[in-house]
Structure formats: C-alpha cells, structure tokens
Amino acid sequence: MDKAYKALTIAGSDTSGGAGMEADLKTFEEMGVYGMTALTCIVAQNPRNSWDHELYPLDLGLIEKQITTTVEGIGCDAMKTGMLGSADLVELVARTIDRYGLKKTVIDPVMVCKGIDTIMVPEAAGAIKELLVKRALVMTPNLLEASYLSGLSEIKTVDDMKEAAGRIVEMGCKNVIIKAGDRFAGDEAVDILYDGKSLKEKRHKKIEGCFNHGAGCTFSAAVCAGLAKGLDVEGALDAAESFIARGLEGSFRLNEWSGAVRHWAWRS
C-alpha cells in the first residue's frame, strides 16, 4: 500500500469555510495528504452586522490535548500553524516542536486580517517573533508580517523584501517565503525564497478579479503538504504556487461580503 502522508494544522476554525483549519484540511486532502487539526479558536461571521468577525478562543488545556492526540497518538510528517491568539499558545507550540522533535515546521505568522494593516494581538506576535522564528523550517509571512518580524518600518519594493528575508533568516529561520500580491502596484505578484545562502525571486502575473479570502492559509498549507510528501522547500514552494494559482483562477463569490478559493480546481 502507498504511504499515507500526514500533516497537522494548529489553527483557528473559519466557520465560513474559506480560511483557517477549513482551508488547511481542504488543501491537504486535495494534495494527497491526510490532515489533522488542533483547533485554537472558532471564528464566526455575523451576517446581521456586515460579516463582522467574532472570535471565540478555545481553552489552552483543550488545545494541548488535541496536540497530544495527533502528534503523540498518530504522528505527523509535517505541521503548520495558523492563528495563534495568545503568547501562552505560542509558547505551547514552541514546547510541542521541541518535545516531539518536529522538523518540518511551517510557521504562517497570522498577525493581521485581510484588509487590516495593524497587528491583531501584539503579545502573540511578539512571542512568534521570539519563539517560533528560530524553530521554523519555513515561514510564510505577507508584507506586513515580514515588516514586523524583520523590524523594517515598511516594505515597498522587492529590495525591501530581500532585506526583510535576510533579517528573518538571521534570527534563526531556516527558510523564509515572503509573499507580495495585491499590496504591490503593477500586474505581477512576487514571491521571495531565501535560505541564508541563495535567494530566489519568483514572479507571476496577478489574477485579476479573484477572491483571495483564505489564500494565505491555503498557500502555507500547500507548502506543508509538499514537505509532508518529501519535497524539498523549493519543490514545496513550486507545488504551492501552482495549487494557489489554480484555486484563485477558479475562485467564486460566497455572498455580498466574501468569496472563496476553489480548492478542488487542482483536479482539472
């Protein structure tokens, strides 16, 4: 029988299904990886208040029990993080990585929501910077997150992205992938991959008119799935870029406020 590759996501649940744990599991499944979860919170959207996001954190002890179930009880070939809403939770993730000797770790430093330019939970962001950067095989920050992690006041150019990548790797991260999509002007999206030795700059034509809610979660989950299947970091990045491009090309509207990535577009 073929090996069953397994991946764990430590992330929040997006009730609308577009981001968070739901996006991660859909991505794992579509890429041929068995997905497991440790839920950190539940996010509900309020259709009676312009789709306002309401956050309900889960108890830290319950999160730890989920991690024990999956990592100790089953095992995983790779793991990723999503929304980590407190410094205590970040510390739990760091202890988990150390305790179980997890090597294929994808840290998606979810610090901002789409359309918002401020850090959501400063103490959690600070703990991610202190504890998880140096434990990451791969980090996948967007421009705002990369700016915070690197200490740059802002990132406006590709050269700024390269500077931020260098600083993040100097902090102990083994590989960093910085993503610049709609925050840069022009018709190209840019990804930077840096491992401390070589830097790769990848450009793709922007997909106009797409719905990108959950795109960051989907991208990092695709990288995680590639690593779980034995790809190296660059190979996992290539697979993730192909996966997210197909999903964005086929994205569709959910309601008047939001749309979704078409995760199953990968099949056709």
Side-chain angles (χ1 to χ4, degrees):
M1 296 179 65
D2 293 337
K3 173 180 170 60
Y5 301 104
K6 301 182 290 293
L8 168 66
T9 175
I10 305 175
S13 168
D14 173 13
T15 301
S16 74
M21 173 273 291
E22 287 81 359
D24 292 344
L25 289 183
K26 291 170 186 176
T27 302
F28 291 162
E29 185 78 9
E30 293 295 338
M31 295 191 72
V33 173
Y34 180 77
M36 302 172 291
T37 66
L39 284 185
T40 62
C41 64
I42 297 173
V43 178
Q45 294 85 4
N46 188 346
R48 300 172 183 174
N49 187 25
S50 302
W51 214 237
D52 182 53
H53 286 47
E54 300 170 354
L55 177 64
Y56 301 91
L58 298 185
D59 177 76
L60 194 67
L62 174 56
I63 299 170
E64 187 167 13
K65 286 181 182 296
Q66 296 175 78
I67 291 172
T68 301
T69 298
T70 53
V71 182
E72 188 172 321
I74 300 172
C76 62
D77 297 299
M79 62 84 72
K80 74 172 290 282
T81 63
M83 181 178 288
L84 305 176
S86 71
D88 287 343
L89 178 51
V90 174
E91 291 170 6
L92 172 60
V93 172
R95 291 197 305 272
T96 296
I97 292 170
D98 293 347
R99 178 180 180 182
Y100 297 106
L102 302 179
K103 303 300 182 185
K104 295 182 179 181
T105 52
V106 179
I107 306 300
D108 185 6
V110 180
M111 299 176 179
V112 296
C113 285
K114 200 170 296 296
I116 299 174
D117 291 345
T118 57
I119 301 296
M120 292 186 294
V121 186
E123 60 270 25
I128 291 171
K129 185 173 182 177
E130 177 186 356
L131 298 175
L132 295 188
V133 171
K134 60 189 176 185
R135 289 175 168 85
L137 174 61
V138 183
M139 292 201 79
T140 59
N142 61 28
L143 294 186
L144 290 172
E145 292 155 352
S147 175
Y148 175 84
L149 292 169
S150 66
L152 293 178
S153 59
E154 57 184 348
I155 298 176
K156 288 187 172 182
T157 67
V158 173
D159 285 341
D160 291 340
M161 293 174 68
K162 294 176 181 179
E163 172 68 19
R167 293 189 184 193
I168 293 170
V169 167
E170 285 176 0
M171 295 163 60
C173 178
K174 294 178 179 62
N175 301 267
V176 60
I177 301 169
I178 301 180
K179 308 162 294 180
D182 54 8
R183 292 186 185 275
F184 274 1
D187 61 358
E188 288 186 319
V190 182
D191 293 333
I192 294 291
L193 167 62
Y194 184 55
D195 65 1
K197 296 179 181 178
S198 62
L199 187 146
K200 294 180 172 59
E201 177 183 328
K202 307 188 75 175
R203 294 176 177 265
H204 312 275
K205 186 173 178 59
K206 288 182 180 178
I207 301 168
E208 298 297 334
C210 66
F211 295 99
N212 60 3
H213 172 62
C217 303
T218 298
F219 176 82
S220 61
V223 172
C224 183
L227 294 174
K229 295 170 72 173
L231 298 179
D232 62 16
V233 173
E234 187 172 0
L237 170 59
D238 289 342
E241 288 179 329
S242 296
F243 185 88
I244 192 64
R246 297 292 292 275
L248 289 172
E249 287 168 356
S251 63
F252 58 97
R253 179 175 290 282
L254 287 174
N255 55 26
E256 63 183 290
W257 300 285
S258 185
V261 173
R262 189 181 299 267
H263 292 87
W264 64 92
W266 177 255
R267 303 176 201 172
S268 58

